[in-house]
Amino acid sequence: MRLTKDDERARRICSLAIEFMNARAPIASSALAARYYPELSADSFRRAFSRDRALLAACGVRVVERGRQAGETSWGVDERGSFAGGAELGAREAATLELTCQGVLEDPTFPLAGDLRLALAKLSRAFADEPAFAAARRNEGRALGELRRALVEHLCVEASYTNARGWQARRTLAPYGLFALGGSTYLVAARVTDGAADGPARTYRVDRFDEVVALDDVPCEVPDDFSVLDWVRLPFQLGSKARPAAFAVPDGREGALADAARGQGELRREGKALVWEVDVCDLPAAASWAVAQGIRPLRPQALVDAWREVLEGALPHGA
């Protein structure tokens, strides 16, 4: 499938938006030119980047000059002038949204209540200040603190855990390691029966632990060949149902992709094309990740459709 000019522009605008929103320091013009406009001359880059900044501003991301570094202009997001800095809901809008979502927020059988409240908290400080949300954050902190103590002291833990389907269970776990992904912290642990690990390890999301107690009289032995890096996944690989997917990788992007992929998937040739094959659980997340990385999904078709929706959403109507 050949990309149209509109596809290319939408992919670039979305990639630039993600790049600038995630940047911790101003980005030099030369870095932007090499990454997003490699075939343009210096003058053509300045004109193209000026047009793209106008489109970014229309999408809510205002990019401005941030001084000069090593004799060249650097760029960054104007947070006050962007939607990210001024999207706070008013009291009436927040109240309306809370009433709409109240039923599922208070439903103990709804497994994503915590995720929904976190999303609402990003829209309005009113939700972040709610006692229930504050209690959830304190609970996660307590669980994480106890897990860290157990890891340092090589102890097993007794834990109460609610999975993604809302099922709660109490079990003894042997904690092996922690890692962070997508704003959440995950524990790799094996179940314990009669004081010994029983069965393979699996991952648990720390904010779903209702209670964690380190067992001072039950030691934990981490396998010699265990490495937490073997368990780190990409953001779109979180989920129970994985399916194979393939992405076309432009020439010159394989190095950057290898760094971002963290060892996941496999690069291979299909004729003259370089293709990256990897398992995907969350199609919308995989589509957004592909846009940010400058790669194009080939299959399955549902992923291609999700990718096109991301591209179309990156451009203002009528652009």
Side-chain angles (χ1 to χ4, degrees):
M1 180 178 64
R2 186 179 180 85
L3 290 181
T4 66
K5 289 185 177 180
D6 286 342
D7 287 337
E8 289 284 2
R9 181 177 58 167
R11 181 187 64 77
R12 188 175 65 251
I13 293 299
C14 197
S15 298
L16 284 167
I18 295 172
E19 174 95 5
F20 278 110
M21 288 189 290
N22 289 332
R24 297 184 179 181
I27 305 172
S29 291
S30 59
L32 293 169
R35 192 171 303 166
Y36 299 106
Y37 311 86
E39 298 179 355
L40 299 185
S41 66
D43 288 340
S44 296
F45 158 69
R46 283 191 288 270
R47 290 193 294 270
F49 185 46
S50 177
R51 291 192 296 268
D52 286 351
R53 292 201 309 276
L55 282 173
L56 284 167
C59 296
V61 181
R62 186 166 180 264
V63 175
V64 297
E65 291 188 23
R66 291 298 190 194
R68 297 181 68 82
Q69 297 178 354
E72 63 175 322
T73 304
S74 60
W75 305 86
V77 172
D78 175 9
E79 295 184 357
R80 292 187 177 183
S82 300
F83 291 168
E88 179 73 15
L89 296 180
R92 182 185 297 273
E93 290 86 356
T96 301
L97 190 58
E98 182 171 16
L99 286 174
T100 303
C101 300
Q102 198 66 42
V104 291
L105 287 174
E106 296 180 351
D107 184 356
T109 66
F110 181 58
L112 301 179
D115 294 333
L116 175 59
R117 185 166 289 280
L118 179 61
L120 293 172
K122 293 179 179 179
L123 294 177
S124 173
R125 295 186 183 91
F127 295 100
D129 294 337
E130 286 287 328
F133 186 60
R137 285 182 295 180
R138 288 195 300 271
N139 181 64
E140 180 180 356
R142 286 196 298 268
L144 187 57
E146 196 72 355
L147 287 171
R148 284 175 172 160
R149 182 173 83 87
L151 286 165
V152 170
E153 300 180 14
H154 303 287
L155 301 174
C156 291
V157 298
E158 187 77 16
S160 177
Y161 186 79
T162 302
N163 69 13
R165 297 182 179 180
W167 298 341
Q168 188 177 60
R170 192 169 188 86
R171 58 192 55 166
T172 303
L173 299 174
Y176 292 163
L178 293 164
F179 66 89
L181 180 63
S184 298
T185 304
Y186 293 83
L187 170 74
V188 181
R191 295 187 64 172
V192 173
T193 303
D194 296 329
D198 181 18
R202 54 159 292 185
T203 57
Y204 299 84
R205 216 170 84 177
V206 171
D207 62 356
R208 288 185 177 145
F209 282 108
D210 303 300
E211 183 183 11
V212 176
V213 178
L215 302 175
D216 294 318
D217 57 344
V218 184
C220 170
E221 184 175 347
V222 180
D224 293 336
D225 60 351
F226 173 79
S227 172
V228 74
L229 296 178
D230 294 336
W231 290 81
V232 177
R233 298 293 183 263
L234 297 172
F236 55 79
Q237 292 180 313
L238 300 177
S240 57
K241 185 178 181 181
R243 67 181 77 180
F247 300 82
V249 182
D251 291 338
R253 290 292 300 170
E254 54 265 37
L257 175 63
D259 291 339
R262 301 175 181 175
Q264 299 296 316
E266 181 181 357
L267 274 171
R268 64 183 185 83
R269 287 282 175 183
E270 288 188 1
K272 295 182 178 180
L274 184 61
V275 175
W276 181 52
E277 295 183 326
V278 66
D279 287 339
V280 168
C281 296
D282 187 330
L283 293 181
S288 297
W289 197 88
V291 169
Q293 297 302 321
I295 60 178
R296 175 171 55 88
L298 299 172
R299 51 185 181 270
Q301 184 60 44
L303 176 58
V304 176
D305 294 340
W307 176 77
R308 286 196 170 274
E309 289 180 6
V310 173
L311 292 179
E312 292 168 0
L315 292 176
H317 294 296

